[in-house]
Amino acid sequence: MLDDFLIRAALAGIGLTLATGPLGAFVVWRRMAYFGDATSHAAILGVALAFGLGMPLYAGTLTVALAMALTVAALSGRGHAMDTVLGVLAHAALAFGLVTASFIPGLRVDLSAFLFGDILAVSRADLAVIWGGAGLVLALLLWRWQELLTATVNEELAQASGQDPGRARLILTLALAVTVAVAIKIVGALLIAALLIVPAAAARQITRSPETMALGATLVGAFSVAGGLTASLRLDTPAGPSIVAVAALVFTISLVLRRRG
């Protein structure tokens, strides 16, 4: 069954949505879209370093994504002008990644796959990494769900309950870095944040509780994967952008349904 590249692509995309659904809900609730952009852009630098140093791709990507996520989390707690700082960090990391890649023979040609994704080229080994990483993120979020939710709603309330809001930020930081690392081959560095935000934003329009929103974001993400792959096959369009385009259409429909409701 796994010899069919479309089935592997669908399994990879659905596996990824297990992480992007609930994590995307927290990204929307906490207004962390900038966080996802900076971390995903930095992933290109991780790709270049992985190829240059002979490291496994996912290891290099995860290392740089985690370093960027921790840097952003540290700066966000110190009152810096975050929009400016994040803009500098995100674009600088992307620029350095592209410049570094230009010195590595053979990588420049393949770089578009890491910018926009190449889900149709997912291998069995990639599937194992994607499902393993997504499962780890999902388990981490479920384990600390109530703590994360309380810290998201009100950090003072979380502190009064004996919880540490800083730990909640660290958990989300780690989860985001792992998600970026496993998602880069599917939708690419430029579209990872969209896959986190758009399905969650669509689910937010038609759900009434945090749990149903997280579940709804996962289902919208899975539907977007299926719809995007179908569109890519029939219209000969890039698979990663097609997935995000379908998610955007679902978001638009959710807005219309909310207004009519």
Side-chain angles (χ1 to χ4, degrees), residues 194-230:
L195 193 60
L196 281 166
I197 297 167
V198 179
R204 190 177 193 177
Q205 308 302 318
I206 54 178
T207 56
R208 294 292 179 266
S209 72
E211 290 77 14
T212 55
M213 178 176 165
L215 178 60
T218 302
L219 294 176
V220 170
F223 175 81
S224 301
V225 168
L229 288 175
T230 301

Side-chain angles (χ1 to χ4, degrees), residues 57-119:
L57 173 64
Y58 291 110
T61 306
L62 177 60
T63 299
V64 175
L66 184 57
M68 175 61 78
L70 291 173
T71 300
V72 171
L75 290 174
S76 65
R78 296 184 180 180
H80 290 74
M82 287 306 298
D83 56 345
T84 302
V85 173
L86 285 166
V88 171
L89 288 176
H91 294 92
L94 180 60
F96 277 112
L98 294 173
V99 169
T100 302
S102 69
F103 292 102
I104 302 173
L107 179 57
R108 187 184 301 181
V109 176
D110 299 327
L111 201 57
S112 62
F114 298 106
L115 288 171
F116 302 105
D118 193 7
I119 191 173

